[in-house]
Amino acid sequence: MGFKPNSFTFPPLVSSCAKAGFSKLGQKCHGQAIKNGVDFVLPVENSLIHFYACCGLVDFSRKVFVEMSLRDLVSWNSIVDGYAKVGELGIAHKLFDEMPQRNVISWNVMITGYLNSGNPGCSLKLFRRMMKMGLRGSDTTMVSVLTACGRSSRLKEGRSVHGSLIRTSLCSRLIIDTALIDMYSKCRRVGVANLVFDRTSVTNLICWNAMILGHCLHGNPEDGLNLYTKMVDTACSRDGEKSLDERQELRPDEVTFVGVLCACARRGLLVEGRNYFSQMSELFSIKPSFAHYWCMANLFAGVGQVQEALEIIRSMPVNEDVSLESLLWARLLGSCRFEGNVNLGEEIADAFN
């Protein structure tokens, strides 16, 4: 007896394609849904809108959405999210305003969309509008809002959000505490960020990185390096206080070393910077990225070794995290920065803008 797919078959299949980014396979699933006569079933249509949006094919999402005979909240949220994901915030906001009803996910989609497009001010404006309507945000809402406050250096608003989190007892969650650490650090209140970190009962690598980067980029670099050492000691210790999984979770990653190398560059710690750069690959098996090479170049230039800085920029390998074209531009910009050709550097920067 043959198996015949039905309307329950396709939503999980299409969602899996969306999660994995398998656009061609997802389109084949769409074709099979049409062939089996279930392409106009609401859950199938919603999964298709989400799938095409995740693959950046928002025109296909719109086509499915427009042809729907019945739409629900999931349909609206999916199409708004699709346009937000590709940076079409004007269309996304228009659709958001047209929604017959909204939930917290609807607001999160727009708040996060503006944040990811580099417009934290609009994210905060939407959040204020949400609060005036008496709606309560989720953890995702609060993390996005705190991130927006940090990126736009709105300390007063960040403090206000922190106060509301304390009043609603949401402040003790790791994801919220990490966002608070990041926000206070970027607003140059690293001491307050450190208080939040010290009071966090359960931490993970993301939380440690937020505090390390806070010290290294916005506070006292030595405090960041000391915290890095403490984290490595914790990860490598065998005193039984932490499980093997917990220790492995605290192994430094690429982000950790961006902060550490920036700290060395800020303080001109050439010997230490070289040692940390070696630790990345030799001790922790981390392949240096463009950001790490750029930090090292700044470190060498900062202590007067301009030729060595230029050599680092020129010898950066091409890998998956940076295209050849971007690498060539970086080398040219590096030459301008480290050789003092400010005018040419400004012309290149203007060309990018």
Side-chain angles (χ1 to χ4, degrees):
M1 185 175 178
F3 167 77
K4 184 177 181 180
N6 56 30
S7 61
F8 294 100
T9 309
F10 291 100
L13 280 176
V14 174
S15 294
S16 296
C17 292
K19 189 176 290 187
F22 294 155
S23 59
K24 290 185 178 179
L25 190 57
Q27 286 174 313
K28 286 182 179 179
C29 288
H30 189 178
Q32 286 296 316
I34 295 171
K35 184 177 178 180
N36 286 275
V38 295
D39 54 314
F40 285 106
V41 177
L42 183 60
V44 176
E45 291 174 313
N46 285 341
S47 67
L48 288 168
I49 294 171
H50 175 68
F51 157 70
Y52 284 120
C54 287
C55 294
L57 304 170
V58 73
D59 288 341
F60 288 95
S61 291
R62 182 65 181 238
K63 187 175 186 298
V64 174
F65 180 79
V66 168
E67 293 177 355
M68 293 175 78
S69 58
L70 177 68
R71 303 183 187 105
D72 62 4
L73 191 52
V74 175
S75 316
W76 283 95
N77 283 340
S78 297
I79 191 65
V80 172
D81 186 45
Y83 279 107
K85 273 187 169 72
V86 297
E88 295 282 356
L89 272 303
I91 299 174
H93 206 140
K94 185 175 182 296
L95 287 165
F96 175 79
D97 289 336
E98 292 173 0
M99 291 179 72
Q101 64 181 81
R102 306 184 191 96
N103 61 5
V104 68
I105 296 173
S106 315
W107 291 89
N108 286 346
V109 163
M110 286 305 305
I111 290 170
T112 306
Y114 276 117
L115 183 63
N116 291 340
S117 69
N119 199 334
C122 283
S123 294
L124 294 173
K125 188 177 179 180
L126 268 174
F127 176 68
R128 293 184 210 113
R129 180 179 158 193
M130 182 182 176
M131 292 296 100
K132 284 180 180 178
M133 295 175 67
L135 300 173
R136 182 174 176 175
S138 64
D139 284 0
T140 301
T141 316
M142 295 308 175
V143 169
S144 295
V145 168
L146 288 169
T147 303
C149 290
R151 289 184 185 176
S152 56
S153 300
R154 285 178 166 90
L155 177 61
K156 185 177 179 180
E157 192 153 7
R159 280 173 170 165
S160 177
V161 174
H162 190 180
S164 70
L165 288 169
I166 293 172
R167 289 191 296 273
T168 54
S169 302
L170 287 175
C171 209
S172 59
R173 303 183 189 181
L174 178 57
I175 189 172
I176 299 291
D177 288 339
T178 303
L180 284 167
I181 292 166
D182 180 67
M183 183 274 292
Y184 279 118
S185 295
K186 287 176 178 172
C187 290
R188 307 283 177 176
R189 295 296 186 273
V190 181
V192 181
N194 202 66
L195 283 174
V196 176
F197 180 77
D198 287 341
R199 292 173 182 172
T200 303
S201 56
V202 179
T203 58
N204 60 10
L205 179 59
I206 298 172
C207 187
W208 280 81
N209 278 348
M211 194 65 255
I212 290 171
L213 264 68
H215 286 303
C216 293
L217 302 182
H218 308 292
N220 184 352
E222 285 83 0
D223 289 339
L225 295 176
N226 290 336
L227 190 59
Y228 163 78
T229 301
K230 182 179 178 181
M231 186 181 81
V232 171
D233 289 344
T234 302
C236 297
S237 68
R238 298 186 179 182
D239 57 10
E241 290 184 9
K242 289 185 178 292
S243 68
L244 178 61
D245 288 342
E246 287 177 311
R247 294 199 303 269
Q248 287 178 338
E249 281 183 4
L250 290 182
R251 285 176 64 86
D253 65 0
E254 295 87 349
V255 176
T256 315
F257 280 101
V258 168
V260 167
L261 294 175
C262 280
C264 294
R266 286 183 65 195
R267 283 292 187 262
L269 304 174
L270 182 58
V271 174
E272 292 86 345
R274 279 174 159 165
N275 289 336
Y276 288 130
F277 192 79
S278 297
Q279 275 186 26
M280 284 179 58
S281 54
E282 294 174 8
L283 188 58
F284 297 107
S285 302
I286 297 171
K287 186 177 179 181
S289 68
F290 171 81
H292 301 119
Y293 285 108
W294 187 258
C295 289
M296 288 301 294
N298 275 278
L299 171 55
F300 276 99
V303 297
Q305 298 188 25
V306 176
Q307 289 306 313
E308 287 81 358
L310 287 169
E311 185 57 34
I312 288 174
I313 294 296
R314 289 167 181 161
S315 63
M316 278 192 296
V318 179
N319 53 46
E320 63 275 3
D321 74 323
V322 57
S323 68
L324 177 59
E325 182 181 6
S326 298
L327 190 60
L328 293 172
W329 279 110
R331 287 170 180 167
L332 185 53
L333 275 167
S335 298
C336 298
R337 169 176 166 75
F338 302 130
E339 290 182 327
N341 193 340
V342 178
N343 291 333
L344 178 56
E346 288 178 348
E347 287 178 18
I348 295 170
D350 287 340
F352 276 118
N353 293 330

